[in-house]
Amino acid sequence: MEKNLERIKATELQNRVVTAQEAAAWIQDGMTLGLSGFTRAGDVKAVSYALVERAKTENFKVNVFTGASLGSDVDRLFAEAGIVNKRLPFQADPAMRKAINAGDMYFLDHHLSHTAEWIRTGAIEPIDFAIVEALSITEDGMIIPTTSVGNSSIFVKHARNIIVEINTAQPELFEGIHDIYDTGTQGERDPIPLTSVDQLIGTKGIPVDMERVRGIVFNHQDDSPSTIMAPDLETKVIADHLLNFFRSEIEAGRLTEKLAPLQSGIGTVANAVLHGMIDSEFEHLEVYSEVLQDAVFDLMDAGKVDFASCCSITLSEPKMEQVFSEFDQYRDKIIMRPQEISNHPEVVRRLGLIAINTALEFDMYGNVNSTHVSGTKMMNGIGGSGDFARNARLAIFVTKSTAKDGKISSVVPFVTHVDHTEHDVDVVVTEQGYADLRGLAPRQRVEVIIENCVHPDYRPQMREYYEEALTRGGQTPHVLEKAFSWHESLAQNGTMLLKKEQLV
């Protein structure tokens, strides 16, 4: 315990150490919790497990606000224990997804840069307890985060009570890489003074009112590793198409060999596409993103990425072991910020990012569905893709052209849920090719998407649909009674491939 107390450098707080069970006992039915954690990194562990234990003998529900998805099985355990009334702004756990789609809990899916604004203006429930993971607490009362910042700083600033969970398993070398900046109140704030990826504009930790620190808990547990899969042949081909697009932009004089700061969404496809740049000619790259996945560190190791800004570091198990054991060679190349800053439209537009995100499906006009399977079942959430797509220099969406062994086409006549309208989408890429949609009217977009992105098995029926739609006329022709026929076929027949008699 004495060694642990060294992590609490603000000595007046050393007498507030409690057990996770004591801290969990303070949480009452109907309260709202602001939990640290962003995409399986820096999440609260000990207090969360204690709440799940309480649920075995006591009925209660709480609202759970986070940065993004939680690791350490917390989202799964919360869902199975039935203790969540409302969850926001993002999740990625199968058990929680099932509970959301069954209507057993409320889920607010919204842009990740917006949570802080909602809290600041009081548009959502006030936070009763901010519970945040930390490396330490400094002498002057700043919480040093671990592997994510997420929404921790806004939770701490506005919560009625604060519980700090100090994780002694996290490398102390993380201290010094955080940059905590608060925008201030809307209508009264100054421009965010961030003009380059590697610029520091805030404090090294989260300022905290020590009087509101109710308790401090210790734990010693690593983050959950990410669940990304290794790149495969199709994702390599997608990456190659994207690199060819970048080359065409350079030839046209719109980019240089350094490209522009890169943002990449979470998940296997986005990580694999970024990984494909390792063997390319592009060098001295910069990353300004939410999450740093394996590919960014692989690019650093290859000498391709000079600097990366993020709000979370989420790695596979072998990459986590390697990076964290050698973190001194990366710490001068990384800054971690609150997600409000990493995703802020003002900064995204100013820096001129190239945003690469994953689509569940997109349609022949370029509308993108990132969240809902067949229009109704929530997958994970929109995350930060909308923050970046609307404001980026280039808004790029990638996906494989088919799923489920070809039974599903990822390119459809009309998406069943629109997260990113055609107005916010510049380029779409599949293993079939890429379609640059900039400057194209809707009817022109259809042609390049069918030719370059649709799987050959689905091109005939896409053309059949579009030709019939043209007979109806309009700026954006559709056959409304058949717009979702592919999804209906999937529900009824287990495949989107239509029979010949359905094509006429």
Side-chain angles (χ1 to χ4, degrees):
M1 175 60 78
E2 282 298 322
K3 187 165 181 59
N4 285 346
L5 287 177
E6 293 176 3
R7 299 262 188 149
I8 309 174
K9 298 177 177 66
T11 55
E12 60 265 51
L13 295 178
Q14 290 183 352
N15 63 356
R16 300 189 202 178
V17 175
V18 298
T19 66
Q21 291 72 28
E22 288 177 274
W26 300 333
I27 311 302
Q28 301 301 312
D29 181 52
M31 282 187 170
T32 295
L33 311 180
L35 304 185
S36 69
F38 192 105
T39 313
R40 301 172 68 84
D43 38 67
V44 178
K45 303 166 179 70
V47 178
S48 299
Y49 295 154
L51 281 171
V52 172
E53 281 299 309
R54 261 188 66 195
K56 293 178 180 178
T57 58
E58 183 181 344
N59 292 323
F60 66 94
K61 284 186 180 290
V62 291
N63 299 322
V64 177
F65 300 170
T66 66
S69 57
L70 300 178
S72 307
D73 281 334
V74 171
D75 273 336
R76 176 181 68 80
L77 293 170
F78 276 10
E80 291 175 349
I83 65 175
V84 180
N85 172 58
K86 182 186 295 183
R87 178 76 168 84
L88 67 82
F90 185 88
Q91 57 75 46
D93 179 80
M96 182 162 280
R97 184 182 305 137
K98 182 178 179 182
I100 290 168
N101 289 319
D104 295 334
M105 72 172 71
Y106 296 114
F107 178 57
L108 274 66
D109 176 32
H110 72 142
H111 302 298
L112 296 188
S113 69
H114 288 189
T115 311
E117 298 285 25
W118 283 7
I119 292 170
R120 191 177 284 118
T121 60
I124 51 178
E125 293 88 346
I127 296 173
D128 296 291
F129 276 89
I131 314 176
V132 297
E133 183 176 272
L135 281 174
S136 60
I137 304 174
T138 66
E139 295 91 339
D140 53 349
M142 284 199 294
I143 297 170
I144 305 299
T146 58
T147 48
S148 72
V149 179
N151 279 319
S152 293
S153 55
I154 199 74
F155 293 157
V156 166
K157 183 171 183 177
H158 291 273
R160 293 165 174 158
N161 303 278
I162 300 163
I163 298 170
V164 181
E165 186 172 298
I166 296 178
N167 188 347
T168 56
Q170 299 287 17
E172 290 191 81
L173 280 171
F174 270 73
E175 183 168 352
I177 69 168
H178 304 94
D179 187 39
I180 311 302
Y181 180 88
D182 189 287
T183 62
T185 304
Q186 283 184 325
E188 302 173 7
R189 63 181 57 154
D190 294 325
I192 298 171
L194 186 60
T195 57
S196 65
V197 171
D198 59 354
Q199 187 178 356
L200 291 167
I201 60 173
T203 57
K204 71 173 186 178
I206 301 170
V208 62
D209 175 2
M210 288 190 274
E211 291 185 1
R212 288 187 289 120
V213 177
R214 181 88 174 264
I216 299 172
V217 175
F218 284 97
N219 82 65
H220 188 87
Q221 181 178 334
D222 293 330
D223 285 337
S224 298
S226 73
T227 57
I228 57 172
M229 306 293 289
D232 59 23
L233 179 60
E234 287 180 314
T235 56
K236 184 182 185 308
V237 173
I238 292 172
D240 288 342
H241 288 314
L242 187 55
L243 294 178
N244 285 333
F245 167 71
F246 290 152
R247 292 176 184 118
S248 70
E249 288 295 285
I250 292 170
E251 187 177 345
R254 291 187 284 267
L255 289 174
T256 69
E257 284 74 10
K258 290 179 62 175
L259 301 180
L262 298 167
Q263 178 268 331
S264 177
I266 65 167
T268 296
V269 175
N271 181 73
V273 168
L274 208 58
H275 190 276
M277 302 185 75
I278 288 178
D279 296 323
S280 74
E281 68 273 27
F282 304 113
E283 295 180 332
H284 300 297
L285 302 172
E286 293 180 319
V287 175
Y288 191 88
S289 195
E290 303 162 313
V291 181
L292 301 188
Q293 297 189 109
D294 288 22
V296 174
F297 290 92
D298 291 336
L299 287 164
M300 284 184 179
D301 294 340
K304 297 287 189 178
V305 166
D306 290 346
F307 204 91
S309 171
C310 67
C311 75
S312 171
I313 297 175
T314 304
L315 303 172
S316 66
E317 190 166 4
K319 199 65 182 176
M320 187 188 302
E321 183 178 341
Q322 180 252 312
V323 168
F324 289 3
S325 65
E326 304 171 356
F327 198 70
D328 55 341
Q329 73 181 49
Y330 299 105
R331 68 188 313 276
D332 293 334
K333 300 178 180 179
I334 294 173
I335 291 175
M336 297 183 69
R337 313 180 192 276
Q339 68 194 69
E340 178 181 28
I341 303 302
S342 68
N343 293 38
H344 204 288
E346 175 189 336
V347 179
V348 173
R349 182 67 64 88
R350 178 182 298 130
L351 296 181
L353 301 192
I354 297 172
I356 307 166
N357 288 285
T358 306
L360 272 180
E361 63 180 6
F362 62 87
D363 66 30
M364 63 184 190
Y365 292 112
N367 299 293
V368 171
N369 173 13
S370 296
T371 59
H372 285 72
V373 176
S374 293
T376 58
K377 291 183 170 59
M378 171 57 64
M379 190 66 178
N380 299 328
I382 194 171
S385 56
D387 294 326
F388 293 101
R390 174 65 61 89
N391 302 288
R393 173 198 305 248
L394 284 168
I396 301 168
F397 284 89
V398 298
T399 184
K400 295 182 180 182
S401 66
T402 62
K404 301 295 183 184
D405 298 321
K407 295 182 175 64
I408 296 175
S409 174
S410 301
V411 193
V412 294
F414 203 173
V415 290
T416 52
H417 182 90
V418 181
D419 291 296
H420 314 283
T421 73
E422 59 185 288
H423 314 291
D424 298 335
V425 180
D426 295 320
V427 181
V428 287
V429 191
T430 72
E431 82 285 356
Q432 301 299 318
Y434 72 84
D436 182 356
L437 307 179
R438 294 171 299 172
L440 301 184
R443 296 185 187 211
Q444 294 173 304
R445 288 178 166 219
V446 175
E447 294 298 332
V448 296
I449 287 175
I450 291 178
E451 285 305 310
N452 297 315
C453 298
V454 177
H455 192 280
D457 290 349
Y458 285 92
R459 282 181 195 158
Q461 67 188 55
M462 183 72 88
R463 286 212 166 276
E464 182 84 12
Y465 173 85
Y466 180 56
E467 287 169 7
E468 182 175 354
L470 286 173
T471 66
R472 307 287 181 95
Q475 162 75 357
T476 310
H478 266 301
V479 185
L480 290 182
E481 65 271 24
K482 294 182 179 180
F484 301 128
S485 58
W486 295 23
H487 298 86
E488 291 176 359
S489 177
L490 177 65
Q492 295 170 7
N493 307 315
T495 178
M496 284 188 177
L497 277 171
L498 303 178
K499 299 176 182 177
K500 288 184 178 181
E501 58 269 23
Q502 293 175 289
L503 294 178
V504 294

